[in-house]
């Protein structure tokens, strides 16, 4: 004897399930096949983008993490290099502080001349305050590692670190007799912690984050290009690095530097052209890395203590934003690799999935 009630009970869930899936199909505008291919289609749909296969979806999930890691490395290495400068030597702030105005300010606070400049082996008020800046740079170096999204106090510390880099760059600008490219070329270093903070707050693919990173790269290459092309007096170290690293004469180095300067400005313009921006960013990565490494390559020698590593390696490290910020743009602008849609339609609404036998209504 056949129990018809049992058949209805068994069939009802399947009917309700199919009706529910039809409802989803009609509301989403996409076809969900009612057969053995359902788990695959649903798995693809649950990934957040039904057009991506699971492997592609895993790559997309790691993509923002990779971008933030590059920005974190740029800010970390920049602060680490300048921290070494402050601990091993002294920050370049003397040009700003060794002035009559600074002493007048100290005098109003009741600080005498001897206390201000120091006597014999005793450091004065000025040296003590300059020495304390090193700890701020060390703190900023650590913050680049520990900062996380919604760590707003740490982010504020990194913004303060960017202001420190700005003051440092201004001091170098004043020391260079106020040559504008000296300040502009430090734009990548000044903005590297800002780009990291923006990536954590807004996301690494937000237009403000991307725009700030492009600005940082443009400032760096425009500053370098202005010196290399000869619009401002080309620093002697540019000629020295070119002659030593490439083994060429001064005349050849002069011609090469002019060509490099033109390419620097070409990169600045190409970053704003969609079809050229990724190749331009790739060139910026290579050129930024080579120019950073040229400092220790040209300066280190077997005759120096530690081969001169203590005097020149940091010159490459603190310039990490010059090639890591372009690397961030290269990764960001990479061609998207998407698989064929897991769910497709014809113009008439027929599901082209070979596993499906039904059509949308």
């Amino acid at each position: 004897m056949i129990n018809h009630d049992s058949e209805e009970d068994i069939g009802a869930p399947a009917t309700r399930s199919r009706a529910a899936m039809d409802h989803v199909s009609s509301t989403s505008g996409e076809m969900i096949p009612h057969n053995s291919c359902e788990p695959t289609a649903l798995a693809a749909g649950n990934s957040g983008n039904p057009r991506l296969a699971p492997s592609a979806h895993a790559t997309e999930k790691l993509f923002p993490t990779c971008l933030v890691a590059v920005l974190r490395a740029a800010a970390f290495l920049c602060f680490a290099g300048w921290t070494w400068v402050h601990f091993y030597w002294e920050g370049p702030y003397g040009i700003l502080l060794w002035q009559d105005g600074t002493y007048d300010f100290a005098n109003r606070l009741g600080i005498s001349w001897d206390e201000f400049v120091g006597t014999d082996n005793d450091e004065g008020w000025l040296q003590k305050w300059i020495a304390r800046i090193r700890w701020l740079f060390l703190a900023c170096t650590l913050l680049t590692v520990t900062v996380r999204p919604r760590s707003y106090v740490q982010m504020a510390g990194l913004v303060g670190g960017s202001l420190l880099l700005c003051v440092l760059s201004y001091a170098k600008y004043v020391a260079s007799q106020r040559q504008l490219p000296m300040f502009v070329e430090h734009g990548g270093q000044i903005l590297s912690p800002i780009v990291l903070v923006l990536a954590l707050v807004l996301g690494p693919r937000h237009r403000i984050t991307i725009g700030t990173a492009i600005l940082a790269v443009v400032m760096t290459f425009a500053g370098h290009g202005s010196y290399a092309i000869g619009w401002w007096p080309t620093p002697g170290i540019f000629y020295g690095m070119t002659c030593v690293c490439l083994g060429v004469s001064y005349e050849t180095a002069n011609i090469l530097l002019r060509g490099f300067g033109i390419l620097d400005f070409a990169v600045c313009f190409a970053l704003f052209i969609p079809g050229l921006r990724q190749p331009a960013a790739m060139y910026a990565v290579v050129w930024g890395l080579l120019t950073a490494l040229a400092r220790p390559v040209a300066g280190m020698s077997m005759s120096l203590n530690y081969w001169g590593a203590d005097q020149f390696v940091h010159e490459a490290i603190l310039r990490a934003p010059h090639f890591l910020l372009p690397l961030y743009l290269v990764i960001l602008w990479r061609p998207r690799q998407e698989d064929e849609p897991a769910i497709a339609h014809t113009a008439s609404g027929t599901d082209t999935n070979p596993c499906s036998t039904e059509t949308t209504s």
Side-chain angles (χ1 to χ4, degrees), residues 132-209:
R132 288 169 183 167
I133 297 177
R134 70 183 66 170
W135 298 105
L136 297 178
F137 273 90
L138 179 60
C140 290
T141 304
L142 299 176
L143 286 178
T144 60
V145 178
T146 61
V147 68
R148 294 292 184 272
R150 300 184 181 179
S151 301
Y152 298 112
V153 174
Q154 297 185 51
M155 292 180 189
L158 287 178
V159 173
S162 180
L163 294 177
L164 283 176
L165 290 170
C166 188
V167 172
L168 184 150
S169 302
Y170 180 74
K172 293 174 71 68
Y173 158 74
V174 173
S176 68
Q177 300 180 347
R178 300 181 183 275
Q179 296 179 4
L180 183 60
M182 180 59 69
F183 182 81
V184 172
E185 71 173 356
H186 286 83
Q189 299 175 40
I190 295 172
L191 292 176
S192 60
I194 298 296
V195 178
L196 173 60
V197 170
L198 290 174
L200 293 174
V201 174
L202 302 176
R205 289 188 279 192
H206 195 279
R207 64 179 63 185
I208 295 179
T209 307

Side-chain angles (χ1 to χ4, degrees), residues 3-349:
N3 190 337
H4 295 284
D5 293 337
S6 299
E7 290 181 357
E8 292 177 357
D9 291 340
I10 294 174
T15 304
R16 287 195 298 268
S17 176
R18 179 164 300 186
M21 295 174 69
D22 289 340
H23 174 70
V24 172
S25 174
S26 62
T27 55
S28 64
E30 293 183 335
M31 180 63 199
I32 300 178
H34 312 314
N35 50 29
S36 60
C37 294
E38 288 175 4
T40 303
L42 291 175
N46 291 336
S47 67
N49 185 354
R51 294 180 177 273
L52 293 178
S55 59
H57 175 60
T59 303
E60 286 296 314
K61 289 183 64 176
L62 292 175
F63 185 57
T65 304
C66 179
L67 292 175
V68 172
V70 172
L71 298 177
R72 194 184 296 274
F76 170 79
L77 292 173
C78 181
F79 278 122
W82 282 114
T83 300
W84 177 263
V85 171
H86 285 76
F87 272 93
Y88 200 75
W89 289 288
E90 187 179 79
Y93 312 105
I95 191 69
L96 300 178
L97 300 176
W98 286 107
Q99 299 182 16
D100 293 339
T102 309
Y103 172 65
D104 292 340
F105 174 75
N107 196 27
R108 294 191 192 99
L109 299 177
I111 301 173
S112 66
W113 175 257
D114 290 340
E115 293 174 331
F116 182 71
V117 301
T119 58
D120 298 331
N121 294 327
D122 295 331
E123 290 185 341
W125 177 86
L126 194 59
Q127 289 89 343
K128 290 179 181 178
W129 276 100
I130 291 178
R132 288 169 183 167
I133 297 177
R134 70 183 66 170
W135 298 105
L136 297 178
F137 273 90
L138 179 60
C140 290
T141 304
L142 299 176
L143 286 178
T144 60
V145 178
T146 61
V147 68
R148 294 292 184 272
R150 300 184 181 179
S151 301
Y152 298 112
V153 174
Q154 297 185 51
M155 292 180 189
L158 287 178
V159 173
S162 180
L163 294 177
L164 283 176
L165 290 170
C166 188
V167 172
L168 184 150
S169 302
Y170 180 74
K172 293 174 71 68
Y173 158 74
V174 173
S176 68
Q177 300 180 347
R178 300 181 183 275
Q179 296 179 4
L180 183 60
M182 180 59 69
F183 182 81
V184 172
E185 71 173 356
H186 286 83
Q189 299 175 40
I190 295 172
L191 292 176
S192 60
I194 298 296
V195 178
L196 173 60
V197 170
L198 290 174
L200 293 174
V201 174
L202 302 176
R205 289 188 279 192
H206 195 279
R207 64 179 63 185
I208 295 179
T209 307
I210 299 170
T212 307
I214 294 175
L215 175 63
V217 175
V218 168
M219 289 181 68
T220 298
F221 278 77
H224 286 167
S226 298
Y227 277 133
I229 209 169
W231 290 347
W232 273 265
T234 305
I237 190 174
F238 280 30
Y239 290 105
M241 290 187 299
T242 305
C243 293
V244 172
C245 294
L246 300 181
V248 297
S249 64
Y250 171 83
E251 291 75 15
T252 303
N254 189 56
I255 296 173
L256 290 174
L257 286 173
R258 299 297 181 262
F260 294 150
I262 294 173
L263 289 175
D264 284 342
F265 281 102
V267 168
C268 295
F269 288 108
L271 288 176
F272 296 96
I273 302 175
L276 300 176
R277 60 188 185 182
Q278 193 188 37
M282 289 179 178
Y283 171 84
V285 172
V286 175
W287 187 238
L289 178 61
L290 291 177
T291 53
L293 293 177
R295 270 74 179 179
V297 169
M300 292 176 63
S301 172
M302 296 293 292
S303 62
L304 299 174
N305 291 334
Y306 312 110
W307 304 286
D310 57 331
Q311 302 179 48
F312 295 101
V313 170
H314 72 277
E315 293 282 356
I317 293 176
L318 62 85
R319 288 174 171 80
H322 297 185
F323 56 88
L324 287 180
L325 289 181
L327 178 61
Y328 156 78
L329 295 176
V330 169
I331 299 173
L332 180 74
W333 291 332
R334 85 199 195 288
R336 295 294 182 88
Q337 298 293 334
E338 294 188 356
D339 296 334
E340 290 294 325
I343 304 169
H345 305 281
T346 61
S348 61

